[in-house]
Amino acid sequence: MWLRQEYKPEKQRFEKPFELEIDRDRLTRQADGRKREFINKSVLRLEQSYTALGTTVWDGSIALAKMFDNKETFPCHYLQTCRVLELGAGCGLVGIYICLLGAKMTFLTDQKCCVKTLETNVKSNIPQFQRDKIKVMEYSWGTNTDELTKGIVEEKRYL
């Protein structure tokens, strides 16, 4: 399913929360040290703001998030070994999507004005048992990346 928002009038595009279904046949998650498989369909519901550019869902982020549904390129066991750093996460669509698909750890970053929206969207879309696998951080382009990459760089696999 291909989703496009660009043909809606500007205000209508961003007035309502954005919804996107995650349709992954099987997810394998570790809970309490045990693996379990289950069929999962869920709907992401992201708050966005018409007034702030960084807090809206854009067509490119929809396409990028849906790209991770390709099981041949990104099988669940591969995502479970990855730590993901999203720079300029905006509403958090891509990072939240990847976290729900089973990434080992996901870091969402954006400017201070976007952090509140990111935190709200993480809280409303990530189940409590998975919240230790996602972190929201403030980051502005061009500033020192030492604190940003601390704890991420030690892993060998990146997306």
Side-chain angles (χ1 to χ4, degrees), residues 32-46:
D32 301 329
R34 296 184 310 197
K35 287 188 178 184
R36 59 187 173 142
E37 285 193 29
F38 56 94
I39 296 172
N40 186 29
K41 279 192 179 187
S42 60
V43 176
L44 286 179
R45 185 176 171 93
L46 300 173

Side-chain angles (χ1 to χ4, degrees), residues 56-73:
T56 54
V57 175
W58 295 97
D59 295 340
S61 63
I62 299 167
L64 181 59
K66 294 303 279 180
M67 178 187 77
F68 290 100
D69 278 338
N70 183 329
K71 292 176 226 170
E72 292 176 16
T73 306

